[in-house]
């Protein structure tokens, strides 16, 4: 029996997102200087194949050119003929090979792959970690709903590979499309983005027995967030890794990625990788050679060199080495070789697409009852011409009913009167303003012109809240009255106080907008601004002071901070706050309990900091009218091309990323088009991000209703 | 602020043996003055506003994770408003909002006020730390360009510095608010140290 083992290592590419093969080779070479090492990868572009650490290299056909099962069988044959052990460096390859159950393949059992699959709730429970809020979906609308609930700070992940951080709706739609195209899975995983320092735990195990583990905290990361340098730490006994490997009967290397949320200190599971990480040699240099422990445990051959701690941390360097014979003559690659996962030399996207289950093309579905009733009510007869904007009065009435109920709920729970102010700019349609006015609600206006429009719609002056940076633009100097005037800068406050002092403006409540996160508010976290506002409040004769700070969704934390600062400020200036405006940004689709609960929490926070309040306001704009209008249009053309189908409609402009697209064929009824990748283009050919699965029998002359349709130039 | 030298005056052990024998060991004059203190002008609303802002800002930044953070004590927000550098003395609270730079004495005063308001037991600590000649040359030029006293640069290799001793679990922490980190370990071990009760 040889006293040095032979190892075959896959995934040896060394680029900005390296595979672990080269690090594994260096670690094993450190333990057995005369060890035989064979590298295996799926493209001659894999740079690690040229490394001097390897005695032999195998360049296998790409996953897109051959049957994955046959490729795996060939790999097993290579390992057997070399009398070697195999350490995987590629996740998806490892999952495929695990089915073989070959003792020379140092892989977790197939069931372990299911356990650690994203989002890894079972693993998190074993390790005592939290899992960030998440949702699996195939629908962009569903994804947008999740993202909006988490303040548009979310990650879009493929079920197996790929992660994209998004913070806008267009970025979300693009990320879903890209992940589908790259990795082949119809479903994506949405996860709340947890901000905080990251940490990784690497471990090795043999048949459920832990051979060792250590933790790494990155000290430098790449632009993509991958570690470039890190410090190594021993693992405390409570990390639960031993439970994880015992329960899953783990064999091979593994990595647990963790992020510790800055605001709460709670550790969250990011991912579990069924292989050693690319930084594995960093652990070896810190005196924990896990690849060697694993190979020694399997082969029974003790390492020739003892583990030695060279440092408590590692750094990466870039090094040029001579290209190997397989890399000579490789044709130049198109630009941005590292920018796309499709250029990954190990071909993981191609393998993922080969493994993905083909999804059936969904057909149109029936409308749910409220919408099915709203459409005939709104389209008693078809619009005189196409395109046209359609108004759903039923949707608006139900929204107003809900808001009335929410106001009562807040008042019952807090004892503070709650009212809402509809922002006119969201949809100034007289039918909307009339409906809001009849309910006795307020309107929020951002200009004198909007104020006049509101007056024409029947709003008395004390139900108009004036705000925004252009509130005094084209003000004619005549005395005016408002219910609330909110100032969003110190100069705005000075000017408004001056107008009030001169008797030109009467405001029941003079408000101060607090919003350090945007330009539409006074930043009292700045010490100079704090002092200026304190001086102004001391000198001005303010009857009733109000504060405005957006509190919707994830902004509750900023709201709390802003109100805390303002409470101290007002106490120092000896001014009492009577009214708090909780702002807008309330999501369409929130139910009465969700919206009311959030408003109650914000109101209680405000009362705790500011004392008794006369009133709280909130500004539901999109929430109220987001689904109350639609664009009625006619299909002009249906195009088939290599990238799929596309419909062109007669509207000059469509809503960006419409939430619903309804279709009606000649003489048929309205049906909902399911999510998909086929674009609906306006008559100028512009793509507004509205993608659906277009039915086979969609034809020119059919009608589409695109929701929501507010304020779009349809003609 | 009453600053009395505390009974326990700690002198760290000799320079670690890891240092090369040729490392410079010039003598320096042990500082005799108490730690820096910010002036509060009588009946000055600006001084009171600044202190009020400071405490409100800290309250607004409170997070559940801060209680366990013995590395930065959740004071990272200070550096959104303050930058380390030369300032003239005497320095009043009302000078703080407009100060482009503040030295370690101001930062120690500010951090001590905030941490004490949170209920933590804080003591002021004066240090003499070693520094490289290139560093002290740079700092001397910077302080002179700003027409500020550079008497904190005791020699080319030793500088005066102010930090805090914060009582916490499991034990007291020597915390440097200028660099938001713990000090006093390994090569950071000071050449001289004195505690003052706050």
């Amino acid at each position: 029996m040889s006293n040095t083992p032979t190892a075959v290592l896959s995934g040896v590419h060394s680029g900005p997102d390296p595979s672990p093969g080269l690090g594994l080779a260096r670690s094993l070479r450190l333990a057995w200087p005369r060890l035989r090492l064979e590298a295996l990868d799926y493209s001659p572009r894999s740079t690690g194949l040229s490394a001097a650490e390897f005695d032999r290299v195998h360049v296998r056909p790409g996953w897109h050119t051959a049957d994955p099962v046959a490729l795996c069988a060939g790999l097993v044959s290579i390992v057997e003929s070399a009398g070697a052990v195999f350490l995987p460096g590629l996740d998806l390859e490892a999952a495929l090979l695990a089915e073989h159950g070959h003792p020379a393949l140092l892989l977790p059992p197939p069931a372990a792959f299911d356990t650690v699959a994203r989002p890894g709730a079972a693993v998190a429970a074993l390790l005592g970690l939290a899992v960030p809020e998440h949702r699996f979906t195939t629908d962009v609308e569903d994804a947008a709903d999740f993202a909006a609930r988490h303040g548009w700070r979310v990650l879009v992940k493929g079920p197996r590979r790929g992660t994209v951080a998004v913070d806008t709706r267009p970025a979300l739609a693009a990320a879903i499309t890209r992940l589908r195209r790259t990795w082949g899975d119809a479903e994506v995983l949405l996860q709340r983005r947890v901000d905080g320092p990251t940490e990784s735990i690497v471990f090795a195990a043999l048949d459920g027995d832990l051979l060792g583990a250590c933790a790494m905290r990155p000290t430098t990361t790449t632009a993509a967030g991958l570690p470039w340098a890190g410090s190594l730490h021993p693992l405390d006994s409570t990390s639960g890794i031993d439970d994880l490997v015992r329960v899953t009967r783990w064999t091979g290397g593994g990595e647990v990625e963790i992020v510790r949320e800055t605001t709460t200190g709670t550790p969250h599971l990011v991912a579990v990788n069924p292989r050693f990480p690319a930084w594995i040699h960093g652990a070896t240099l810190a005196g924990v050679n896990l690849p060697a422990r694993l190979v020694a445990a399997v082969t029974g051959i003790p390492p020739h060199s003892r583990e030695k701690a060279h440092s408590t941390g590692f750094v990466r360097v870039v090094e040029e080495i001579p290209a190997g014979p397989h890399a000579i003559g490789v044709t130049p690659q198109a630009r941005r070789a590292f920018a796309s996962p499709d250029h990954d030399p190990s071909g993981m996207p191609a393998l993922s697409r080969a493994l993905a289950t083909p999804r059936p093309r969904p057909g149109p579905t029936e409308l749910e009852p409220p919408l099915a009733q709203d459409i005939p009510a709104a389209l008693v007869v078809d619009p005189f011409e196409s395109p046209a904007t359609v108004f759903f009065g039923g949707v608006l009435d139900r929204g107003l009913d809900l808001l009335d109920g929410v106001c009562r709920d807040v008042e019952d729970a807090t004892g503070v009167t709650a009212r809402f102010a509809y922002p006119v700019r969201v949809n100034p349609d007289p039918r909307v303003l009339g409906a809001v006015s009849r309910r006795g609600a307020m309107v929020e206006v951002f200009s004198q012109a909007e104020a006049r429009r509101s007056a024409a719609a029947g709003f008395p002056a004390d139900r108009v809240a004036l705000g925004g940076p252009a509130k005094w633009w084209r003000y004619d100097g005549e005395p005016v009255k408002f219910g609330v005037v909110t100032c969003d800068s110190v100069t705005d406050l000075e000017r408004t106080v001056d107008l009030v002092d001169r008797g030109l403006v009467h405001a029941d409540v003079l408000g101060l907008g607090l919003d350090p996160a945007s330009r539409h508010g006074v930043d009292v976290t700045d010490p100079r601004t704090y002092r200026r506002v304190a001086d102004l409040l001391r000198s001005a004769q303010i009857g009733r002071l109000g504060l405005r700070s957006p509190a919707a969704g994830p902004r509750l934390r900023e709201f709390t901070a802003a109100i805390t600062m303002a409470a101290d400020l007002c106490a120092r200036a000896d001014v009492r706050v009577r009214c708090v405006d909780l702002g807008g940004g309330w999501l369409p689709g929130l139910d009465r309990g969700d919206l009311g609960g959030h408003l109650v929490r914000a109101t209680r926070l405000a009362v705790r900091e500011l004392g008794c309040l006369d009133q709280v306001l909130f500004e539901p704009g999109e929430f109220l009218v987001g689904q109350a209008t639609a664009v009625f249009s006619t299909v002009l053309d249906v195009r088939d091309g290599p990238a799929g189908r596309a419909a062109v409609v007669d509207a000059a402009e469509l809503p960006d990323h419409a939430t619903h697209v309804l279709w009606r064929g000649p003489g048929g009824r309205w049906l909902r088009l399911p999510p998909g990748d086929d674009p609906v283009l306006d008559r100028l050919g512009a793509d507004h991000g509205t993608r659906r699965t277009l039915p086979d029998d969609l034809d020119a002359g059919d009608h589409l209703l695109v929701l929501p349709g507010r304020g779009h130039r349809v003609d | 602020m009453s600053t009395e030298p505390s009974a326990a005056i700690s002198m760290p052990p000799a320079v670690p043996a890891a240092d090369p024998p040729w490392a410079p060991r010039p003598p320096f004059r042990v500082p005799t003055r108490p730690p820096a203190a910010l002036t509060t002008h009588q009946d000055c609303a600006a001084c009171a506003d600044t202190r009020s802002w400071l405490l409100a800002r800290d309250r607004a930044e409170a997070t559940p994770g801060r209680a366990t953070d013995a590395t930065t004590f959740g004071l990272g927000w200070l550096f959104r408003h303050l930058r380390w550098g030369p300032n003239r003395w005497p320095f009043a609270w009302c000078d703080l909002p407009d100060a482009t730079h503040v030295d370690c004495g101001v930062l120690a005063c500010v951090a001590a006020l905030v941490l004490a308001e949170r209920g933590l037991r804080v003591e002021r600590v004066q240090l003499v730390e070693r520094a490289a000649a290139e560093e002290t040359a740079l700092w001397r030029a910077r302080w002179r360009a700003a027409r500020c006293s550079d008497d904190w640069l005791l020699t080319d290799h030793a500088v005066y510095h102010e930090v805090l001793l914060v009582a916490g679990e499991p034990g007291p922490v020597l915390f440097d608010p200028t660099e938001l980190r713990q000090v006093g370990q390994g090569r950071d071990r000071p050449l001289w140290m004195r505690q003052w009760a706050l």
Side-chain angles (χ1 to χ4, degrees):
Chain A
M1 179 180 156
S2 167
N3 70 344
T4 55
T6 299
V8 176
L9 310 173
S10 71
V12 297
H13 180 58
S14 183
D17 181 6
S19 294
L22 198 52
L24 289 170
R26 289 175 176 158
S27 294
L28 295 174
R29 186 69 78 196
L30 212 55
W32 293 280
R34 298 179 63 191
L35 162 96
R36 181 171 175 77
L37 283 172
E38 298 187 10
L40 186 149
D41 220 325
Y42 297 87
S43 162
R45 295 183 196 281
S46 175
T47 55
L49 293 171
S50 299
E53 279 79 359
F54 295 113
D55 301 298
R56 186 178 178 189
V57 300
H58 303 268
V59 183
R60 304 285 292 155
W63 295 102
H64 60 287
T65 62
D67 174 30
V69 177
L71 272 175
C72 286
L75 188 151
V76 173
S77 170
I78 289 171
V79 174
E80 283 180 338
S81 61
V85 291
F86 171 76
L87 279 79
L90 305 166
D91 302 358
L92 300 182
E93 178 204 56
L96 205 55
L97 284 167
E99 301 291 342
H100 281 261
H102 195 289
L105 307 181
L106 305 184
L107 301 164
F113 285 87
D114 297 334
T115 308
V116 303
R118 293 173 170 182
V123 176
L126 278 171
L127 299 174
L129 303 173
V131 177
E133 292 85 339
H134 59 276
R135 183 186 294 177
F136 280 101
T137 186
T138 56
D139 183 8
V140 175
E141 286 321 308
D142 194 30
D145 172 70
F146 178 87
R149 284 170 189 271
H150 293 92
W152 286 98
R153 295 186 59 75
V154 293
L155 300 174
V156 189
K157 298 181 171 182
R160 288 174 288 201
R161 291 285 303 268
T163 300
V164 183
V166 298
D167 49 14
T168 62
R169 191 183 178 99
L172 174 73
I176 291 175
T177 303
R178 193 160 74 244
L179 283 170
R180 277 185 185 150
R181 282 188 188 153
T182 304
W183 302 103
D185 295 295
E187 201 171 48
V188 293
L189 170 65
L190 274 293
Q191 227 171 25
R192 177 174 72 88
R193 201 155 91 208
V194 176
D195 293 322
T198 57
E199 183 175 320
S200 288
I201 298 172
V202 62
F203 60 92
L206 181 63
D207 199 22
D209 288 333
L210 187 64
L211 301 172
C214 71
M216 185 276 293
R217 291 182 197 128
T219 51
T220 306
T221 56
T222 64
L226 301 167
W228 194 257
S231 60
L232 279 299
H233 307 272
L235 207 57
D236 63 52
S237 59
T238 59
S239 59
I241 295 293
D242 44 356
D243 291 335
L244 169 65
V245 300
R246 192 181 64 252
V247 168
T248 55
R249 294 187 68 82
W250 196 280
T251 288
E255 181 194 20
V256 179
E257 296 178 38
I258 297 166
V259 57
R260 192 173 294 273
E261 189 159 25
T262 305
T263 52
T264 62
T266 306
H268 289 76
L269 179 69
V270 176
V272 182
N273 298 317
R275 50 157 176 79
F276 285 117
W279 53 267
I280 183 63
H281 193 54
T284 301
L285 296 174
V288 185
N289 192 341
L290 295 175
R293 289 189 200 179
L294 178 62
V295 172
V298 172
T299 62
I301 304 172
H304 294 176
S305 305
R306 285 187 178 181
E307 292 178 354
K308 180 183 171 190
H310 297 267
S311 173
T312 57
F314 70 90
V315 295
R316 273 189 189 148
V317 294
V318 177
E319 184 184 13
E320 281 75 27
I321 58 172
H326 51 276
I328 304 294
V330 170
T331 52
Q333 196 167 34
R335 62 194 169 86
R336 302 179 66 204
F338 291 125
S340 160
D342 257 333
H343 294 295
D344 171 20
S346 301
M348 285 301 97
L351 176 56
S352 180
R353 288 194 293 269
L355 296 175
T357 313
R359 77 190 146 120
R361 199 173 164 82
T365 55
E366 296 290 339
L367 303 182
E368 61 272 22
L371 193 56
Q373 291 151 12
D374 287 336
I375 291 175
L379 289 172
V380 177
V381 291
D382 277 355
F384 177 68
E385 60 181 9
S386 174
T389 301
V390 179
F391 178 70
F392 297 132
V395 175
L396 185 63
D397 285 339
R398 285 196 297 276
L400 289 166
D401 289 343
L402 187 147
L403 291 174
D404 283 341
V406 165
C407 288
R408 285 196 299 276
D409 293 346
V410 174
E411 196 165 341
D412 290 345
T414 65
V416 180
T417 303
R419 298 181 78 180
F420 66 89
Y422 169 70
V424 171
R425 62 190 175 282
V426 176
N427 189 341
D429 189 312
R431 290 171 291 184
V432 176
L433 296 184
V436 174
S437 176
R438 285 192 293 277
R439 296 293 181 119
M442 296 180 73
V443 279
E444 188 203 31
V445 298
F446 264 24
S447 69
Q448 299 297 315
E450 284 186 356
R452 285 192 291 275
R453 184 185 280 249
S454 303
F459 285 92
D462 63 354
R463 285 207 275 134
V464 177
L466 178 67
K471 64 172 69 64
W472 302 122
W473 177 52
R474 294 186 176 170
Y475 167 56
D476 57 11
E478 291 297 311
V480 284
K481 181 180 187 308
F482 296 100
V484 181
V485 177
T486 303
C487 306
D488 63 1
S489 71
V490 177
T491 48
D492 188 13
L493 180 62
E494 287 168 345
R495 182 175 181 186
T496 305
V497 165
D498 177 57
L499 290 171
V500 171
D501 287 347
R502 285 160 54 199
L504 293 174
V505 172
H506 176 82
D508 294 340
V509 174
L510 186 62
L512 183 65
L514 306 170
D515 195 359
S518 84
R519 284 164 292 177
H520 303 301
V522 178
D523 181 8
V524 289
T525 64
D526 176 73
R528 282 166 295 224
T529 308
Y530 184 94
R531 283 229 51 233
R532 281 181 70 188
V533 174
D535 283 344
L536 206 54
L537 292 181
R538 283 189 198 105
S539 59
Q541 298 299 314
I542 297 176
R544 298 174 76 211
L545 179 70
L547 297 175
R548 180 185 185 280
S549 182
R555 302 200 64 183
L556 194 62
R557 167 91 193 97
E558 292 164 24
F559 169 81
T560 310
I563 292 292
T564 302
M565 292 292 300
D568 280 40
L569 176 64
C570 293
R572 280 207 51 73
D574 200 20
V575 179
R576 196 185 142 204
V577 178
R578 303 298 189 104
C579 173
V580 171
D581 182 346
L582 305 173
W586 309 97
L587 298 173
L590 282 180
D591 61 22
R592 179 170 166 173
D594 283 344
L595 178 59
H598 200 96
L599 291 167
V600 166
R601 273 197 299 282
T603 304
R604 283 179 175 153
L605 277 165
V607 170
R608 188 189 71 194
E609 293 294 331
L610 300 165
C612 190
L613 295 172
D614 296 345
Q615 179 175 269
V616 289
L617 276 179
F618 62 105
E619 298 156 7
E622 283 289 335
F623 180 90
L624 186 59
V625 297
Q627 303 298 332
T629 55
V631 173
F632 176 87
S633 62
T634 304
V635 177
L636 300 178
D637 189 19
V638 181
R639 300 171 174 183
D640 284 301
R645 308 191 81 197
V648 181
V649 299
D650 58 1
E653 188 181 345
L654 286 170
D656 287 335
H657 302 283
T659 55
H660 303 285
V661 180
L662 313 182
W663 165 63
R664 184 181 67 183
R669 62 189 188 285
W670 288 101
L671 296 170
R672 181 193 301 278
L673 295 186
D677 297 326
D678 305 329
V680 179
L681 311 175
D682 66 24
R683 71 166 186 254
L684 308 177
D687 181 356
H688 296 271
T690 297
R691 291 172 192 279
R692 291 294 182 276
T693 302
L694 298 178
D696 294 338
D697 45 350
L698 177 74
D699 208 350
D702 291 358
H703 290 137
L704 295 184
L705 266 177
V706 183
L707 284 78
R710 71 170 171 90
H712 285 87
R713 192 165 55 88
V714 295
D715 52 357
Chain B
M1 183 175 69
S2 152
T3 49
E4 293 294 330
S6 67
I9 294 178
S10 312
M11 290 299 288
V15 176
D19 283 355
W22 58 86
R25 299 280 178 275
F28 55 84
R29 188 186 296 272
V30 171
T32 53
R33 66 186 180 198
L38 267 60
T39 310
T40 303
H41 296 134
Q42 200 170 10
D43 299 328
C44 174
C47 280
D49 281 347
T50 304
R51 289 169 69 102
S52 165
W53 165 81
L54 195 65
L55 301 179
R57 187 82 178 81
D58 188 61
R59 246 172 20 94
E61 287 288 329
T63 63
R66 189 167 77 175
T68 56
D69 179 4
T71 305
T72 70
F73 287 94
L75 286 175
W77 63 267
L78 269 179
F79 292 88
R80 282 178 230 158
H81 307 288
L82 306 174
R83 284 185 187 179
W84 179 76
N87 64 263
R88 296 187 186 178
W89 288 92
F91 190 90
W93 284 102
C94 59
D95 294 329
L96 195 64
D98 295 317
T100 52
H101 296 95
V102 291
D103 65 20
C104 65
V106 176
L107 285 165
C109 284
V110 166
L113 175 73
V114 168
L115 295 179
E117 181 71 13
R118 287 190 206 165
L120 294 168
R121 199 161 68 80
V122 181
E123 291 183 20
R124 299 286 297 273
V125 176
Q126 296 173 295
L127 303 179
V128 174
E129 291 183 326
R130 61 172 74 77
E134 302 81 38
E135 290 176 312
T136 51
L138 190 69
W139 293 333
R140 185 168 288 111
R142 197 174 159 197
W143 255 250
R144 285 183 179 170
R147 298 179 184 280
C148 295
S149 167
D150 62 358
D151 61 353
W152 64 283
L153 299 163
L154 305 177
T155 72
D156 286 348
H157 297 278
V159 297
Y160 172 79
H161 190 44
E162 294 196 12
V163 298
L164 304 175
L165 187 71
V166 186
E169 290 296 331
V173 170
L174 201 55
F175 170 61
D176 183 354
T178 304
E179 296 194 8
L180 283 187
R181 65 187 183 106
Q182 293 185 23
V183 291
Q185 306 297 319
R187 285 198 57 78
D188 281 342
R189 185 167 295 177
L191 301 169
W192 173 89
M193 184 167 91
R194 180 164 59 197
Q195 286 173 234
W196 293 75
L198 193 63

